[in-house]
């Protein structure tokens, strides 16, 4: 195809200019890829930090302070709802812990069926010393408390419940969730221990679960509610409890779109103006081609193909550069953000470069239509 | 033979701050296979007339028939095709595409017509190189040839689609007298062999007198029309 060949030849015969434009596009697109990927990773990290080791949906007793007693059948019902996974129960109560050297700290004793709850909290792998409670009366204490109160495995803690009853538990190990408030606030035990502490029978305070797509946790929660169909319980989800976070994420997403928008505008203007200049540069060639009978479509295509190629080269370079920068930045800075590479977004950015530069090249293409061969021929 | 070109009452006015009427009603017909020259003083309107004949420009009034077709009734696409198939241009400046080699430039009209370049067309282009005497430099970039070679390359390009008409506007204006003579004998050869109609604008009376017909333009009118 003639237009294609001429376009390629125009590009290859002025290599410096071509490389310059392609690099310009590449820089724009690399900024787009870098910033976009960084923001996506930040958001993912934030969401992961917030809900990675937390229930996405929680079923609680409808009345405050009451427990769910007929919880066993609910489990099966909930597990039947699509997208739900890692369903487990917990029984929690606020207590005061008295240490062997007679100091006191407040804590939330949380009783889990630890193997089931691992799906959400990953408790087993958080134990850095000792073992999970395997018989009743054993508890795990957090890192900060161990250090503060000089605790060791086998120590006995005196537990004072809200109702005033006092019982002893033994430390079987220590955990570290890497979140100080959890380490300080939680005392982890098994379900049986907490049930016997409370002496309320076979009850739980919450049925907890995660879902495949955390961002549709609200609609999944509705399904759970419908499936249980009981007014003795209420169903909540992480989204209603984290509206601020979601708002922040949305705002971040918006700013990311803004950046991307302006990058694309910049690429667009650059290509349009540079190719427009090249119409003037190549006016002699265009003039004679027109005299020889090149059609308007063919002459337009010469510029559109140039735009297309510049977009493809610049886009590919930009994607590579942006991705490289991002990985270098993340790995090099060994930051707390774990890289999340959204290939859809990255490839989309490349495609956008190609689309923007091809569309931008329509401006010089149209300009080329107005070029009158006589002007060229008359003016030598 | 019939007329391959007919001009009827051609007028041309350039509109601007001051309107300039350049051509004042020109009636001319050119026979197929004829070898014509157009002479006249600088500014008399020769180039304007030639551009109108070549459908690069439109007359303000009057009709141009190329190969029996009324060009005023043709759209942009049809005119482009007409120029590609029927007319070959040679200008004072060669206007070769500097991004391409001599041979590629010569093949350009074929490619514009949408035909594929096969062995046959390539052989034909090589033959034309031979004819105009640039075989040795045919794979040179068009910028890497002498002025005379470039102009001869442009002539080969004009001949590539075997047009019925060659329009040349001072084709040897930039060349020395030896090269000029070579190019005119080349034109004559092509005219004899292929029956191509030539219309050559020139300042040079001696060259003009070699033609079968001399048309002299004066102040936008046909002043003399001598057939031999
Ligand atoms: N675009 C234009 N606008 C206004 N006037 C023009 C334009 N082009 C040509 N002219 C005028 O038309 C007249 C004829 O010009 P043309 O180029 O046809 O002359 P010419 O006979 O080819 O001259 P030369 O021998 O110097 O090439 C001149 O007076 C010129 O000034
Ligand atoms: Mg002239």
């Amino acid at each position: 195809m003639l237009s294609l060949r001429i376009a390629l030849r125009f590009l290859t015969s002025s290599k410096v200019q071509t490389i310059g434009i392609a690099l310009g596009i590449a820089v724009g697109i690399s900024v787009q890829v870098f910033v976009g990927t960084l923001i996506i990773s930040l958001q993912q990290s934030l969401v992961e930090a917030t809900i990675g080791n937390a229930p996405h949906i929680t079923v609680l007793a409808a009345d405050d302070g009451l427990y769910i007693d007929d919880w066993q059948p609910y489990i099966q019902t909930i597990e039947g709802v699509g997208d739900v996974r890692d369903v487990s129960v917990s029984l929690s109560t606020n207590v005061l812990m008295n240490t062997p050297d007679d100091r006191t700290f407040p804590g939330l004793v949380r009783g889990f069926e630890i193997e089931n709850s691992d799906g959400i909290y990953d408790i087993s792998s958080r134990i850095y010393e000792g073992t999970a409670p395997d018989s009743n009366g054993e508890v795990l204490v957090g890192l900060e408390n161990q250090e503060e109160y000089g605790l060791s495995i086998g120590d006995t803690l005196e537990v004072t419940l809200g109702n005033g009853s006092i019982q002893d538990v033994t430390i079987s190990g220590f955990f570290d969730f890497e979140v100080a408030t959890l380490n300080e606030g939680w005392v982890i035990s098994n379900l049986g221990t907490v049930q016997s502490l409370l002496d309320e029978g076979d009850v739980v305070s919450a049925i907890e679960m995660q879902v495949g797509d955390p961002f549709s946790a609200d609609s999944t929660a509705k399904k759970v509610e419908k499936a249980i169909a009981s007014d003795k319980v209420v169903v909540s989800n992480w989204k209603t409890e984290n509206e601020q976070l979601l708002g922040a994420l949305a705002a971040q997403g918006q700013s990311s779109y803004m950046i991307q928008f302006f990058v694309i505008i910049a690429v667009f203007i650059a290509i349009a103006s540079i190719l427009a200049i090249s119409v003037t540069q190549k006016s002699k060639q265009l003039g004679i081609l027109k005299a020889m009978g090149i059609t308007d479509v063919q002459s337009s295509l010469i510029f559109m193909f140039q735009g297309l190629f510049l977009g493809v080269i610049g886009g590919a370079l930009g994607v590579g550069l942006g991705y490289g920068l991002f990985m270098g930045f993340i790995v090099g800075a060994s930051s707390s953000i774990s890289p999340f590479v959204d290939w859809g977004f990255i490839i989309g950015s490349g495609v956008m470069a190609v689309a923007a530069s091809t569309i931008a090249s329509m401006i010089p293409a149209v300009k080329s239509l107005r070029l009158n061969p006589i002007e060229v021929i008359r003016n030598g | 033979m019939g007329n391959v070109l007919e001009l009827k009452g051609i007028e041309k006015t350039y509109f601007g701050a001051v309107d300039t009427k350049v051509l004042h009603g020109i009636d001319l017909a050119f026979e197929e296979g004829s070898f014509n020259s157009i002479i006249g003083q600088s500014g008399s309107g020769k180039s304007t007339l030639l551009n109108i004949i070549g459908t690069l420009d439109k007359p303000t009034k009057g009709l141009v028939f190329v190969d029996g077709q009324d060009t005023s009734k043709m759209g942009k696409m049809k005119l482009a095709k007409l120029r590609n198939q029927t007319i070959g241009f040679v200008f004072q400046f060669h206007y070769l595409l500097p991004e391409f080699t001599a041979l590629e430039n010569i093949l350009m009209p074929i490619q514009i017509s949408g035909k594929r370049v096969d062995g046959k067309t390539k052989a034909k282009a090589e033959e034309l190189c031979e004819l105009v005497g640039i075989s040795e430099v045919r794979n040179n970039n068009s910028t890497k040839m002498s002025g005379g070679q470039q102009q001869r390359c442009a002539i080969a390009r004009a001949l590539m689609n075997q047009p019925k008409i060659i329009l040349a506007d001072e084709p040897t204006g930039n060349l020395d007298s030896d090269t000029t003579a070579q190019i005119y004998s080349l034109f004559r050869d092509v005219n004899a062999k292929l029956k191509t109609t030539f219309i050559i604008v020139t300042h040079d009376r001696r060259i003009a007198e070699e033609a079968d017909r001399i048309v002299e333009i004066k102040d936008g009118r046909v002043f003399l029309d001598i057939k031999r």
Side-chain angles (χ1 to χ4, degrees), chain A residues 2 5-6 9-10 13 282 285 288-296 298 369 374 376-378 380, chain B residues 14 51 56-57 76-77 80 83-84 89 91 93 95 97-101 104 108-109 111-112 157:
Chain A
L2 182 64
R5 285 195 51 215
I6 295 177
R9 196 62 72 88
F10 279 2
S13 68
K282 305 291 185 193
Q285 288 89 323
I288 192 64
L289 284 167
K290 285 189 171 194
M292 290 193 294
I294 202 168
T295 61
D296 282 355
Q298 284 174 313
L369 298 186
I374 308 188
V376 177
I377 287 152
R378 197 179 357 248
Chain B
Y14 286 110
N51 289 337
L56 293 175
D57 206 351
K76 253 182 136 180
M77 290 274 279
R83 284 200 298 274
N84 180 252
F89 291 95
F91 302 100
F93 186 73
Y95 296 112
L97 302 186
E99 294 85 1
F100 291 84
T101 67
E104 287 170 331
M108 203 56 77
Q111 296 195 286
I112 291 173
R157 178 178 65 182

Side-chain angles (χ1 to χ4, degrees), chain A residues 90-122:
Chain A
S90 67
L91 178 60
S92 309
T93 186
N94 282 304
V95 297
L96 287 175
M97 311 293 282
N98 212 9
T99 65
D101 56 358
D102 211 21
R103 286 191 289 166
T104 304
F105 64 92
L108 179 71
V109 180
R110 304 211 61 190
F112 297 113
E113 294 175 314
I114 292 187
E115 258 170 47
N116 292 340
S117 297
D118 269 355
I120 299 176
Y121 299 99
D122 209 10

